[in-house]
Each structure stands twice: as C-alpha cells, then as structure tokens.
Amino acid sequence: KTFTFSFRLIFLANFGTLLWAGGVTLNVTLTPVDSNDYSCIQDAVNNAANGDVICFAPGRYVTSNIGIPGGASLMLAFTGTPDSAIANSTNVIIQGDGQDRLFTVTDNANTMLLSWTMMTLEAGVTSNSGGGAIYFVSGTGGGITLDNVIVSGNTSGNQGGGLAAAAGSFTTYIVGTTFIGNFASNVG
C-alpha cells in the first residue's frame, strides 16, 4: 500500500510553553500525595479549563478512551523539565487497556489546540473510525502537536493505526516523534 500524509512540519522550541502561558497545571500521578493530584487522566481532563496544562509524573498509566470535549485548549505534558536527567519519552507511558483507543478528541468549536509532549502512547486499539492512539475530529480550526512522543503498537480496524485526524482543515505539528509498529487494516 502507498500512504500519503499531509502534515505541516514546523520545528519550534517551547511551542507549548508559548501557546499555553497563563493556565494552571493539573498533576496526574500513580500515587497522589496531594488533594490537587489526579490518579485518573479523565478526571484531570474533565477539570481542565482553557489554557491549562496536564502534567504526568513518571509511570505507566493503563487506560482507554480518554474523551476530550470540543472547545477546550489543553496541553498534555510530561512533568519533568527538558534538562532533567530523567526527562525522555519513555518515562511517561499511556498504555491502552485493550478496550479502546487512548484519546478521542471531538473539536466541535474548531478552536482546540492540543499537545502531547515527552511521552509514549502505546497499545491503543479501535475497530472503527481510526486512530488507535489518537482520533482527532475538527472542523476548520484548531490543531494538534506531537512533540518528542513515541506512538507504538496501536491498532485500528480502519485507518490511522497510531493517529487519525478527520474532517476539516487544521494544523498538525509533529516534532521529534517516532511512529513504530502501528497497524491499520485499511489506510495508515
């Protein structure tokens, strides 16, 4: 099969920091120690407001079908700093539980700007639509960024084993990201 991808590749340092300045940070951790920490990614997403950053402590988070509703501007990011000795894409792993894809994003307001930074997205699975790791649906605005992410071992019964973006026109930034071992039965 021949695959055609239309991605706008732009290499920007600190893209997320510039875009989301002014929001608050919501921490997701496997072992919450503070009442402001979340152990469930969906709970953090549900409590996030425009401009917020969701940061993950190092660990393996087993989950599926994290729904991100339209109209929000969120950044999903690793908690470490870029110069940290442990800051790399394998310290935060969002792993599918075998039930569904990892993230479903429906941007009805056409304003959503999302970024996944310094993490691994693996083992998401879906039998319909597309995107074993991320399924992004937008109209005529918004966009997503994958910055230093490993997208690995995801499966789709249709298109986009790791990432499927459907409908409309929006911007996709892919920087320092590796897609490896993803499978789609139709396209991508």
Side-chain angles (χ1 to χ4, degrees):
K1 293 183 176 179
T2 301
F3 304 105
T4 303
F5 296 96
S6 297
F7 292 118
R8 181 177 172 197
L9 300 178
I10 297 180
F11 298 89
L12 295 173
N14 298 318
F15 171 73
T17 304
L18 297 173
L19 186 60
W20 281 276
V24 299
T25 300
L26 293 89
N27 296 310
V28 177
T29 178
L30 294 171
T31 54
V33 294
D34 185 293
S35 61
N36 296 320
D37 291 344
Y38 294 89
S39 60
C40 175
I41 300 169
Q42 187 67 64
D43 289 344
V45 169
N46 292 346
N47 287 289
N50 286 345
D52 288 354
V53 176
I54 298 175
C55 290
F56 296 86
R60 181 179 297 272
Y61 299 85
V62 179
T63 188
S64 69
N65 204 18
I66 300 162
I68 303 174
S73 292
L74 301 174
M75 180 179 179
L76 305 180
F78 174 63
T79 55
T81 59
D83 58 354
S84 169
I86 63 166
N88 69 54
S89 299
T90 61
N91 288 327
V92 174
I93 300 170
I94 312 296
Q95 177 184 329
D97 63 6
Q99 301 299 310
D100 208 337
R101 71 177 53 92
L102 300 179
F103 293 93
T104 301
V105 182
T106 305
D107 185 12
N108 297 325
N110 301 321
T111 59
M112 189 173 293
L113 300 169
L114 295 171
S115 178
W116 286 264
T117 303
M118 295 186 74
M119 62 179 58
T120 296
L121 304 175
E122 70 178 20
V125 61
T126 183
S127 60
N128 57 22
S129 300
I134 301 170
Y135 182 55
F136 182 76
V137 180
S138 180
T140 58
I144 59 174
T145 298
L146 297 177
D147 184 0
N148 290 301
V149 174
I150 298 170
V151 182
S152 174
N154 298 283
T155 303
S156 169
N158 192 3
Q159 56 194 351
L163 168 68
S169 63
F170 46 86
T171 303
T172 302
Y173 298 96
I174 299 177
V175 181
T177 293
T178 302
F179 289 82
I180 185 167
N182 299 289
F183 174 80
S185 62
N186 190 9
V187 178

